[in-house]
């Protein structure tokens, strides 16, 4: 069928042009908006969401940026991100632990105030909050690691002896002192930021980081043999020979230990 | 341009009704905008907590939740099912504006309105060209785009750029660089496109227009037979395409301004020296005035001033 001699009607031509123009404009504007939406997810590591906040992607679909959580916060911990000032999605609530940490109110007023569920109302015990995880990021400057008894992060922790414990180790530098290592247990850490706020150093040696930065993860297929063995109550492989463990001490070839003896086989001397 | 339209805008209305009478609804509207803003500011400024939150979502006297229904809709499309509080708040706002006219929000509540009104005032004073005028459907296209982007990205897309909630939040919580955005809209309306933002771009206005398309509260050109074609209403109306069907209708054509684009701002009522317009409801059959028998008003050009 020949199209020669049947030009498009002016109305149809105009309609197609207008539609194409509108669609083109929408794709362009929509792309910019989508780029902004993607950009908005880049939450800075030091910006922590309020207790109960959904994961960042879900949070941005749920938070209407009304600021009611900020108003209910009795310690002025929470702030709304300001356009062009804070690198957090504009108008969304966050806090900076080093400035004002979360005081972990028992009644969690910020969650109660949230009208949309961007802060999950299922959070009824503040000890279950997961705002982030504290990490002792600088072992070289941490006073406890230097062998001093600072202990401030441990003392201020609202979940003391569960979220942070002091693990005793030998101080090899002095030879006869202990090092009390502040150790975070992520299962109990709420990410409130009290430790980071209280660290006495000019720049905190312990910092609350978002879980995505603070934590690794164990592979699903990993099994810990000793746990499996305990669960089974017997060796996992039937009839396996349990060889004696070589322990340092008398009767072994550990020469450092008193009573040690020469090994029966010597490596050949290496000559130059 | 004829001798009629060259007279200063509103001069005749001021002469017949006095300055106050000729600015009644404008003053009421500014008062309303200020009141809505002050309700939110009384808390942070003076510690009087009547309303908490922002225009996106608020809590009044600790009991009344209100949620912006357009934000709520984007949240739904982005894949979040909000809690009941937000849903109730959105329903209250939706029903209210569906009754009194969706775009009443635009002219009586929205904090960007004084900005664009200011730009238009200066635009007229400077006698600038109207500039780029996108098609009427543009804001609906933008609204659809916003909803699609919300669905695709899973984020409440328009809140990333929405100058209304940004300005409001800026005033209530902290400004940041929102002032630059407000200035950009002012300049856009002043130099690039007359009535550009509110009249052609803003998808929030488009949404509220749809919400209020069957609203009860309407402006009617009830006494259209008294119109002397001074064109002042066309000059002040931010959506002046809505006037003609009502004002220039003949016989049985309804004098009600039924276009969802009308924001019920009432400027046409103020500016008309002949009191052609009035506020009424959409079922006001009486407003079909006796159009034929009344004597045609004296042609304006032949009058002394």
């Amino acid at each position: 069928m020949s199209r020669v001699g049947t030009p498009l009607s002016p109305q149809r031509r105009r309609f197609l042009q207008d539609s194409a123009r509108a669609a083109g404009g929408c794709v362009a504007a929509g792309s910019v908006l989508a780029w902004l939406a993607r950009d908005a997810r880049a939450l800075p590591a030091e910006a922590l969401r309020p207790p109960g906040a959904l994961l960042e992607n879900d949070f941005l679909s749920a938070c209407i940026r009304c600021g009611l959580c900020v108003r209910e916060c009795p310690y002025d911990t929470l702030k709304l991100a300001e356009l062009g000032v804070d690198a957090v999605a504009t108008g969304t609530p966050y806090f900076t632990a080093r400035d004002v940490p979360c005081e972990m109110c028992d009644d969690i007023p910020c969650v109660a105030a949230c009208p949309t569920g961007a802060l999950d109302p299922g959070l009824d015990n503040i000890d279950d909050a997961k705002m982030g995880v504290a990490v002792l990021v600088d072992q070289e400057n941490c006073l406890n690691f230097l062998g001093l008894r600072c202990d401030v992060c441990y003392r201020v922790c609202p979940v003391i002896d569960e979220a942070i414990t002091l693990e005793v180790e030998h101080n090899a530098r002095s030879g006869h002192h202990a090092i009390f290592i502040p150790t975070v247990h992520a299962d109990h850490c709420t990410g409130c930021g009290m430790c980071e706020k209280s660290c006495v150093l000019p720049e905190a040696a312990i910092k609350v980081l978002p879980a995505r930065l603070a934590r690794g993860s164990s592979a699903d297929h990993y099994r810990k043999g000793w746990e499996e063995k305990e669960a089974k109550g017997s060796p996992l492989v039937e009839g396996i020979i349990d060889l004696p463990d070589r322990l340092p001490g008398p009767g072994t070839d550990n020469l450092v230990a008193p009573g040690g003896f020469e090994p029966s086989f010597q490596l050949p001397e290496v000559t130059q | 341009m004829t001798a009629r339209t060259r007279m200063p805008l509103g001069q005749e209305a001021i002469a017949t009704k006095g300055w106050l009478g000729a600015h009644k609804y404008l003053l009421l509207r500014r008062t309303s905008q200020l009141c809505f803003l002050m309700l939110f500011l009384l808390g942070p400024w003076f510690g009087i907590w009547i309303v908490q939150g922002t225009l996106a979502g608020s809590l009044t006297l600790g009991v009344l939740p209100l949620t912006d229904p357009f934000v709520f809709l984007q949240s739904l499309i982005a894949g979040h099912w909000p809690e009941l509080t937000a849903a109730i708040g959105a329903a209250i706002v939706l029903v209210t504006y569906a009754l009194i006219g969706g775009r009443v929000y635009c002219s009586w509540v929205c904090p960007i309105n004084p900005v664009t009104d200011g730009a238009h005032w200066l635009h007229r004073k400077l006698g600038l060209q109207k500039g780029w005028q996108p098609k009427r459907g543009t804001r609906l296209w933008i609204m659809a785009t916003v909803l699609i982007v919300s669905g695709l990205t899973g984020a409440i897309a328009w809140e990333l750029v929405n100058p209304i909630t940004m300005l409001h939040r800026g005033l209530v919580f902290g400004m940041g660089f929102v002032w630059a955005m407000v200035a950009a809209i002012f300049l856009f309306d002043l130099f690039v496109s007359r009535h550009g933002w509110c009249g052609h771009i803003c998808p929030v206005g488009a949404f509220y227009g749809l919400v209020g398309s069957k609203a009860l509260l309407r402006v009617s050109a009830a006494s259209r037979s008294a119109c002397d074609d001074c064109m002042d209403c066309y000059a002040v109306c931010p959506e002046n395409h809505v006037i003609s069907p009502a004002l220039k209708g003949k016989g049985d054509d309804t004098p009600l301004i039924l276009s969802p684009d009308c924001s019920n701002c009432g400027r046409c009522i103020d500016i008309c020296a002949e009191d052609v317009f009035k506020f009424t409801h959409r079922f006001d059959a009486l407003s079909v005035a006796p159009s034929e028998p009344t004597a045609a008003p004296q042609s304006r050009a032949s009058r002394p001033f």
Side-chain angles (χ1 to χ4, degrees):
Chain A
M1 196 164 68
S2 170
R3 290 175 58 86
V4 178
T6 55
L8 292 173
S9 72
Q11 292 90 342
R12 190 174 160 203
R13 187 184 182 80
R14 193 184 165 124
F15 171 76
L16 289 175
Q17 279 180 344
D18 285 350
S19 304
R21 182 183 293 172
C26 285
V27 168
S31 303
V32 173
L33 203 54
W35 172 72
L36 285 173
R38 201 174 157 64
D39 207 41
R41 290 187 184 145
L43 189 67
E46 62 270 28
L48 303 173
R49 292 294 188 197
L54 304 176
L55 294 175
E56 190 60 11
N57 284 1
D58 298 333
F59 188 77
L60 291 181
S61 73
C63 175
I64 59 171
R65 308 162 188 222
C66 64
L68 287 172
C69 54
V70 175
R71 289 290 180 238
E72 287 303 320
C73 178
Y75 299 97
D76 289 337
T77 298
L78 296 175
K79 292 187 290 184
L80 287 189
E82 291 181 19
L83 184 70
V85 178
D86 309 301
V88 180
T90 180
T92 54
Y94 76 102
F95 70 98
T96 309
R98 188 67 165 166
D99 295 339
V100 191
C102 173
E103 297 278 349
M104 289 176 60
C105 313
D106 280 336
D107 51 349
I108 329 179
C110 49
V111 172
C114 180
T116 65
L119 307 182
D120 184 4
L123 179 73
D124 51 6
N125 180 0
I126 190 64
D127 288 344
D128 295 336
K130 290 275 169 255
M131 295 172 272
V133 178
V135 182
L136 206 153
V137 290
D138 191 354
Q139 302 187 355
E140 290 168 75
N141 283 310
C142 171
L143 296 180
N144 269 39
F145 261 91
L146 295 176
L148 308 174
R149 289 302 301 273
C150 165
D151 296 1
V152 169
C153 55
Y154 164 75
R155 296 279 167 209
V156 297
C157 178
V159 203
I160 185 169
D161 284 328
E162 290 179 66
I164 302 184
T165 56
L166 292 178
E167 305 295 325
V168 182
E169 285 205 4
H170 174 62
N171 186 341
R173 179 181 59 78
S174 74
H176 54 275
H177 292 97
I179 291 179
F180 290 76
I181 299 175
T183 307
V184 177
H185 303 276
D187 285 351
H188 295 284
C189 177
T190 63
C192 71
M194 281 302 220
C195 52
E196 182 179 342
K197 169 68 183 171
S198 310
C199 179
V200 300
L201 298 180
E203 177 74 36
I206 188 165
K207 290 189 162 116
V208 177
L209 300 176
R212 72 190 153 86
L213 294 182
R215 303 228 54 196
S217 68
S218 177
D220 285 344
H221 62 282
Y222 284 6
R223 296 286 178 272
K224 290 167 185 155
W226 55 95
E227 288 178 358
E228 302 291 326
K229 186 178 171 186
E230 193 176 309
K232 193 182 174 196
S234 66
L236 295 175
V237 181
E238 298 297 338
I240 195 166
I241 311 162
D242 190 18
L243 293 169
D245 300 315
R246 276 205 312 189
L247 297 170
T252 70
D253 59 2
N254 183 349
L255 290 173
V256 178
F261 53 81
E262 286 285 328
S264 53
F265 176 76
Q266 291 287 343
L267 287 169
E269 289 291 323
V270 180
T271 51
Q272 296 240 319
Chain B
M1 201 187 255
T2 65
R4 295 167 165 183
T5 51
R6 218 173 283 140
M7 290 175 79
L9 185 63
Q11 180 190 314
E12 215 179 342
I14 294 170
T16 52
K17 302 197 280 193
W19 193 90
L20 269 182
H23 294 85
K24 187 170 72 173
Y25 284 110
L26 185 64
L27 292 173
L28 277 174
R29 221 150 52 72
R30 294 286 177 257
T31 311
S32 157
Q33 288 160 349
L34 199 64
C35 280
F36 275 105
L37 194 56
M38 282 315 292
L39 279 175
F40 285 92
L41 287 175
L42 280 176
W45 284 8
F46 305 110
I48 305 166
W49 294 102
I50 299 170
V51 182
Q52 285 185 320
T54 66
L55 282 178
S58 64
L59 186 66
T60 303
L61 295 171
V63 286
L64 174 68
L66 295 174
T67 313
D68 184 317
F70 187 53
V71 176
F72 184 85
L73 180 62
Q74 290 173 73
S75 181
L76 276 183
I77 292 177
H80 176 73
W81 186 253
E83 289 295 306
L84 191 62
T85 314
I88 292 172
I92 294 172
V93 175
L94 212 55
V95 168
T96 307
Y97 284 119
L99 289 176
I100 64 170
R103 296 207 64 206
V104 164
Y105 175 82
C106 298
S107 56
W108 294 78
V109 180
C110 178
I112 288 292
N113 177 273
V115 176
T116 56
D117 273 3
H120 181 236
W121 178 83
L122 192 58
H123 188 280
R124 214 171 52 218
K125 288 284 172 199
L126 297 176
L128 299 174
Q129 297 292 311
K130 63 180 173 185
W132 178 50
Q133 295 290 290
K135 289 195 171 302
R136 283 287 153 204
T138 304
R139 55 183 160 201
L140 291 170
W141 281 91
I142 294 176
M143 190 188 87
T145 304
V146 165
L147 295 178
I148 290 169
V149 171
S150 290
L152 291 179
T153 61
I156 300 178
W158 190 246
E159 287 311 289
L160 298 167
V161 290
N162 187 358
I164 302 171
T165 46
M166 275 191 191
L167 174 58
H168 194 258
R169 198 164 49 231
L171 292 166
V172 178
F173 280 95
M175 211 51 169
F177 279 86
V178 172
W179 58 267
M181 191 145 202
V182 174
I185 287 179
F186 184 86
L187 295 174
F188 176 75
D189 265 30
L190 181 59
F191 294 122
V192 181
S193 172
R194 186 177 70 180
H195 294 310
W197 186 262
C198 299
H200 295 98
I201 306 290
C202 180
V204 181
F207 174 81
Y208 277 115
L210 292 180
V211 168
S213 55
K214 298 291 173 221
L216 297 179
L217 182 65
R218 291 294 177 188
V219 174
S220 169
S223 317
R224 64 189 176 199
S225 54
C227 172
D228 64 354
D229 291 330
C230 74
M231 306 295 279
D232 277 2
C233 54
Y234 287 94
V236 292
C237 179
E239 302 276 353
N240 54 25
H241 59 284
V242 309
I243 297 178
S244 286
L247 183 64
K248 298 301 171 190
K250 295 275 181 276
D252 287 341
D253 292 345
T254 178
L256 292 163
I257 293 177
L258 291 176
S259 167
D261 290 345
C262 172
S263 65
N264 281 349
C265 73
R267 276 300 275 150
C268 55
I269 305 176
D270 279 351
I271 208 77
C272 182
E274 309 295 332
D275 280 332
V276 166
F277 299 97
K278 65 167 185 177
F279 271 122
T280 182
H281 56 86
R282 71 181 294 125
F283 306 111
D284 187 2
L286 291 175
S287 61
V288 184
S291 52
E292 267 49 84
T294 44
Q298 202 179 7
S299 161
R300 188 182 156 138
S302 62
R303 270 182 272 160
F305 63 99

